[in-house]
């Protein structure tokens, strides 16, 4: 199971790998800041190395305490290449375009987290079962118990990796354009916010007529969030 | 300037690096497919290696012909580490959650492109100027000419990298859950589509009262697209 300690109030260490050099005022090693961004985005991009060359694979992740998890096929090249290796896992949310008076001052508002550690296979059967349950429950609370139970074959075909967060940074921009000193230049400036939401559910073909969209999913769609 | 050839109808090569092994029916090396995904997403994740360890940095990209471009500070570690090195650049768009009757058959609908090549600094002044213009015009058509012109100092502070696409793959899932054989299991199944859109513009503080949101931006917001 995931560690409860260190407490989320203690920062991640600052090292040569993870010291924020560009716009350092936008960066933090705060545990709670990093966790909030990991939790806000279901999608991450995992970086790993094969024969010295970089690969970046998009995948779903979830977090429990100081561990981030992801899953896929037991035969996946991506999972096999990451196992027991140093990995960089990045989550990015683009919150808006920032339009300035000059080209140079354009930017985007964003939240991103970069996490470093060593990926490990979750091979204890109970931990693996717990982790897969969390994957579902984290996205769709209450859904696990309503599903057709997993088979031994399905569990065998699946690998779960997890990574203890050794180092991490969060970087956030959330502001209007930074060129108020040029406010008299005659061009519109400001922010175009970007939002993501769930659209109305599309029921699968072949569904028996008496089965309705569960209230928890209807609530999620209505919330305007995507998780 | 970017090459016009090979034509977009010719596939990227299939190599050991980029042969799609998992769910190969979802993968393609088609140039037009790869280009469409690169163009649909303004955000990519660039993978590079420092001292043998992987890093993944989120950044904006744009494409012209067979080249993908990105930009940042001339002093950026990320840009310096990528220059003249093999790079993996990935764009991912999450189009929806796919909820199945079993945990195992859950998935997401998505479009993603993985591009491999060697990053090069754009150092010819005309090409650099053209590229930065494209960055703006690609996101906000017609905006470049309305902006306060770039200064020599601003151009100097900026690096533009570009990468010829040597190899690339696109992978797409766009379907209801794949478990219609279990349609009698009594749980709701289907797709929750995910959409991104621009919310109403937030004008910068200090804007003179006579300057209105340009029609092109109003049209972009109204389109329901983010670019
Ligand atoms: C939004 C999103 C969420 C995803 N979530 C998960 C998840 O939770 N679990 C999971 O297992 N997979 C997920 N995937 C798919 C994942 O990106 C990989 O395709 C998959 O894990 C197989 O990886 P592999 O290295 O074993 O594939 P392989 O087929 O061995 O990869 C070989 C080559 O195929 C190409 N390729 C592989 N994946 C992609 C891709 N996504 N886009 C373009 N080209 C590709 C590349 O050229 C790669 O070098 C997700 C993808 C997206 C876009
Ligand atoms: C949606 C989005 C779009 C972006 N677009 C651009 C762009 O077009 N051009 C551009 O130059 N930059 C862009 N950025 C910022 C970019 O991700 C880098 O922060 C920036 O390029 C500086 O990189 P660096 O390696 O020089 O930073 P450094 O400060 O040298 O990196 C050192 C350490 O700081 C931390 N760090 C750096 N960047 C991030 C990050 N984004 N999130 C969390 N931790 C981080 C990491 O621990 C890293 O190892 C964008 C970011 C996001 C989220
Ligand atoms: C001619 C056009 C542009 C030039 C010359 C330029 C220049 C730069 C420079 C020098 C940096 C590095 C800042 C630093 O790390 O200190 C930077 C970063 C960045 N640029 Fe641009 N830029 C241009 C256009 C744009 C546009 C159109 C956008 C998006 C709408 C954009 C988004 C960003 C973002 C998000 C960063 C990262 C800032 C951060 O680290 O928080 N840029 N740009
Ligand atoms: C107990 C729960 C789960 C198990 C056992 C499981 C198992 C697997 C396996 C074995 C693969 C590899 C498929 C292949 O490459 O051949 C896979 C891929 C994937 N899974 Fe899961 N999964 C589970 C839950 C989920 C959930 C909840 C989601 C999202 C809602 C999800 C999304 C994906 C995606 C997007 C892929 C990639 C498919 C592709 O390559 O196109 N999975 N999963």
């Amino acid at each position: 199971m995931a560690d409860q300690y260190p407490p989320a109030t203690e920062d991640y260490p600052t090292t040569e790998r993870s010291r924020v050099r560009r716009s350092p005022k936008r960066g933090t090693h705060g545990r709670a800041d990093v966790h909030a961004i990991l939790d806000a985005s279901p999608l991450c991009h995992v970086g790993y190395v094969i024969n010295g060359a970089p690969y970046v694979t998009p995948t779903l992740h979830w977090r429990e305490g100081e561990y981030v998890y992801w899953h896929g096929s037991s035969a996946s090249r991506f999972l096999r290449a990451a196992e027991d290796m140093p990995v960089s896992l990045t989550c990015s949310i683009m919150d808006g375009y920032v339009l300035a008076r000059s080209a140079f001052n354009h930017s985007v508002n964003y939240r991103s987290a970069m996490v470093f550690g060593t990926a490990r296979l979750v091979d204890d059967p109970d931990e693996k079962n717990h982790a897969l349950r969390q994957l579902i429950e984290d996205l769709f609370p209450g859904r696990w118990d309503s599903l057709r139970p997993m088979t031994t074959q399905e569990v065998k075909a699946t690998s779960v990796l997890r990574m203890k967060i050794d180092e991490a940074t969060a970087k956030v921009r959330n502001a209007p354009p930074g060129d108020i000193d040029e406010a008299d230049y005659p061009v519109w400036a400001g922010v175009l916010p970007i939002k993501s939401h769930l659209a109305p559910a599309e029921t699968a073909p072949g569904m028996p007529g008496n089965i309705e969209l569960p209230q928890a999913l209807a609530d999620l769609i209505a919330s305007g969030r995507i998780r």
Side-chain angles (χ1 to χ4, degrees), chain A:
Chain A
M1 282 326 73
D3 290 351
Q4 293 280 32
Y5 302 93
T9 48
E10 191 181 293
D11 280 3
Y12 291 110
T14 305
T15 66
E16 270 316 288
R17 176 158 69 174
S18 62
R19 184 168 56 81
V20 182
R21 296 165 183 81
R22 306 304 316 161
S23 314
K25 66 176 188 311
R26 293 188 186 149
T28 142
H29 297 270
R31 250 170 240 273
D33 300 307
V34 169
H35 293 177
I37 295 166
L38 291 172
D39 295 352
S41 158
L43 175 65
C44 69
H45 283 76
V46 175
Y48 52 99
V49 176
I50 302 178
N51 293 333
Y55 288 77
V56 177
T57 297
T59 200
L60 303 170
H61 69 281
W62 64 105
R63 182 184 70 85
E64 203 173 346
E66 285 302 318
Y67 291 88
V68 275
Y69 292 79
W70 63 101
H71 87 292
S73 164
S74 307
S76 162
R77 182 179 73 173
F78 151 49
L79 296 190
R80 284 163 175 264
E83 190 182 332
D84 296 329
M85 298 301 285
V87 153
S88 165
L89 184 153
T90 301
C91 285
S92 313
I93 302 164
M94 204 160 98
D95 288 320
Y97 293 122
V98 180
L99 285 74
R101 285 82 176 182
S102 63
F104 185 77
N105 281 309
H106 280 63
S107 193
V108 302
N109 282 337
Y110 63 80
R111 287 166 285 161
S112 61
M114 257 189 222
V115 170
F116 301 96
T118 304
R120 305 287 180 196
L121 189 69
V122 175
D123 48 16
D124 177 85
D126 289 342
E127 288 189 11
K128 184 172 176 182
N129 208 70
H130 172 80
L132 288 169
R133 185 184 212 283
Q134 279 305 112
L135 161 57
I136 297 274
E137 288 293 308
D138 189 56
L139 289 168
F140 316 115
R143 188 163 175 82
W144 181 263
D145 289 331
S146 69
L147 296 173
R148 190 267 289 148
M150 283 199 292
T151 67
T152 314
Q153 189 46 45
E154 288 174 343
V155 176
K156 214 179 137 198
T158 307
S159 279
V160 176
L161 292 190
R162 76 172 189 183
M163 186 167 89
K164 178 146 194 315
I165 305 176
D166 288 337
E167 289 174 54
T169 41
K171 214 177 148 183
V172 175
R173 190 195 193 284
N174 177 18
D179 61 352
I180 193 159
D181 52 315
E182 300 193 279
D184 55 353
Y185 197 88
V187 60
W188 186 85
V191 172
L192 307 183
I194 300 174
K195 308 272 183 204
S196 293
H197 67 276
L198 296 174
E202 297 167 356
T203 300
M207 280 288 289
N210 61 335
I211 297 183
E212 305 217 321
L213 187 72
Q215 192 58 41
L217 294 177
D219 291 345
L220 180 63
I221 296 166
S223 74
R225 290 176 292 111
I226 64 164
R227 79 184 273 173

